[in-house]
Amino acid sequence: MQTRTYGELFKVTSALIGTGGQLAVGEQDQLRHFINRRFQQAFDESPVWPRYLVSSEARDIISLTISGLGAGGSSDQSAKINANYILLGQDSGTEGAVAGTNVYYNPSIGTRSSSSIGSATILYKRTSTSRWEIEINASIDIAADGSISVDAGSGDTALVEADAGKKDNPSEVVTWTLTATLLSGTPLVVDKQLIPYAQTSKDTIGDFNRIHRKRAFQNNSSMEYDFFVDFNGANILNIANSTDNSAFVSYKKQFTPYTITSGYYDSSLEVPGEFFNYIAHAVYADFLRVQNRQDQALAEEQVAQTYLALELEKIDIRSNNNTINKRFSTYVNRQSR
């Protein structure tokens, strides 16, 4: 996609203002803030700007959250356990965990490869006690066929289910026995079907558009999930199978403002080509308002909005050929129904 430079944007806007050269230092700083304001305004106008759209990307589903733990008597391991947990799968039962029971792990701790997860924080059901346990610094083997097996007892036991009647799900456990040297407090274990905004090695999600069970927008149709969004991410409603550990998300990337504070006229920072003219004329309108030239500012604002409307129309025309974004039927896109 086409890009321009921040330096070009500064020069064009200065030319519109009519300085005949560079703005004063104070005005340059003012212009910097105006540019970020208008940049975000353009960014927010559409959920499907092609530059910021990611289509049907695989994302982990958080199945459990644990919170409420504090420091122990001789160390503090709470940060390894107070976390989001992913359902890795069901244990094969070959190395000390109950066959067929869920195995959860904290994705922010440990090292994962195609054949194992090492130094991990895991939650599993141990065969010898038939109790749910949380271990830190533990290991999990992953076979070539994808089957998993917890190396029971390979790590340090942090919490153990203490209920007299054993539970099928760790979120149902009422009482946990803590290793007092490692932890304190009362753990709160909660079931989730959550896709967080951030995931290691992937772009941070700014806005969720759609969520599918399988990869969408290819040859086969895929089940689409309803969801609601809160501070932590997207919460999937009525998930097809509680053992699913991933879903495919179409989203808009997070907005990132410019952080440049000097050397504006020579900056090579990239400016989206589709926003360039809008930002330049809209920022000029902002300067006119500061000078109380309201009529001229209004006229310039209309010029800026025309540039933005042209770019938005391009998106709408392209969207007639796909279903990335759910849209109301209009006279422009009605033929895509």
Side-chain angles (χ1 to χ4, degrees):
M1 301 191 71
Q2 290 186 341
T3 59
R4 306 282 292 274
T5 69
Y6 196 89
E8 285 181 280
L9 181 60
F10 235 80
K11 290 171 185 174
V12 169
T13 307
S14 296
L16 289 170
I17 294 170
T19 60
Q22 294 189 2
L23 296 168
V25 173
E27 291 177 324
Q28 289 182 30
D29 188 60
Q30 191 176 40
L31 181 60
R32 171 175 69 90
H33 290 295
F34 284 159
I35 286 174
N36 268 339
R37 172 177 173 268
R38 292 300 192 156
F39 179 23
Q40 180 160 14
Q41 190 170 6
F43 177 89
D44 290 341
E45 281 292 325
S46 173
V48 289
W49 287 115
R51 185 182 301 272
Y52 302 105
L53 177 67
V54 178
S55 173
S56 200
E57 180 181 79
R59 289 278 179 153
D60 292 333
I61 297 176
I62 301 303
S63 298
L64 284 174
T65 61
I66 299 178
S67 59
L69 296 169
S74 60
S75 68
D76 184 1
Q77 301 298 320
S78 60
K80 293 183 177 180
I81 300 173
N82 288 330
N84 294 325
Y85 287 75
I86 293 172
L87 173 61
L88 185 61
Q90 289 68 49
D91 200 280
S92 63
T94 59
E95 296 187 45
V98 176
T101 57
N102 289 343
V103 177
Y104 306 87
Y105 82 105
N106 176 359
S108 64
I109 301 293
T111 304
R112 180 170 181 173
S113 68
S114 59
S115 60
S116 67
I117 303 177
S119 303
T121 299
I122 63 173
L123 170 58
Y124 72 102
K125 197 165 200 176
R126 193 164 184 168
T127 301
S128 60
T129 61
S130 194
R131 298 175 187 268
W132 290 102
E133 295 190 9
I134 297 178
E135 290 185 14
I136 58 175
N137 306 316
S139 61
I140 304 171
D141 294 327
I142 304 174
D145 64 359
S147 60
I148 61 173
S149 53
V150 172
D151 186 2
S154 61
D156 302 314
T157 301
L159 294 99
V160 179
E161 177 185 2
D163 291 354
K166 304 303 183 292
K167 302 301 193 299
D168 293 330
N169 190 310
S171 65
E172 299 171 349
V173 175
V174 177
T175 307
W176 294 86
T177 299
L178 280 65
T179 301
T181 57
L182 305 178
L183 300 164
S184 63
T186 302
L188 176 63
V189 182
V190 179
D191 278 325
K192 292 282 186 179
Q193 297 295 344
L194 172 73
I195 298 175
Y197 293 99
Q199 183 174 325
T200 303
S201 302
K202 298 196 175 183
D203 289 312
T204 299
I205 295 173
D207 293 297
F208 290 88
N209 289 342
R210 304 175 72 174
I211 301 176
H212 291 84
R213 187 183 185 196
K214 302 295 183 183
R215 189 174 299 280
F217 312 119
Q218 292 186 337
N219 294 328
N220 297 321
S221 61
S222 175
M223 176 186 294
E224 182 170 4
Y225 288 124
D226 289 326
F227 62 94
F228 69 91
V229 177
D230 61 15
F231 178 79
N232 297 307
N235 296 266
I236 297 174
L237 302 176
N238 302 317
I239 194 164
N241 192 321
S242 61
T243 63
D244 286 355
N245 55 16
S246 66
F248 291 81
V249 183
S250 297
Y251 65 90
K252 184 181 178 184
K253 297 177 185 177
Q254 186 179 49
F255 174 74
T256 303
Y258 296 113
T259 57
I260 184 172
T261 57
S262 63
Y264 306 115
Y265 287 95
D266 300 317
S267 173
S268 60
L269 287 173
E270 291 186 349
V271 175
E274 61 271 29
F275 296 168
F276 187 90
N277 288 322
Y278 166 75
I279 294 174
H281 286 271
V283 168
Y284 177 38
D286 291 336
F287 260 85
L288 291 171
R289 290 190 184 90
V290 170
Q291 297 169 352
N292 201 30
R293 296 156 66 184
Q294 302 299 335
D295 290 343
Q296 290 174 275
L298 181 60
E300 196 63 29
E301 185 73 38
Q302 291 175 341
V303 172
Q305 291 298 329
T306 298
Y307 278 116
L308 186 59
L310 288 171
E311 296 298 332
L312 290 168
E313 184 179 9
K314 291 177 185 177
I315 294 176
D316 195 64
I317 292 171
R318 291 190 198 104
S319 294
N320 288 332
N321 299 316
N322 61 56
T323 57
I324 297 297
N325 189 43
K326 293 179 178 177
R327 293 165 293 122
F328 291 105
S329 176
T330 70
Y331 74 95
V332 176
N333 57 35
R334 188 174 296 120
Q335 62 268 32
S336 67
R337 288 186 297 178

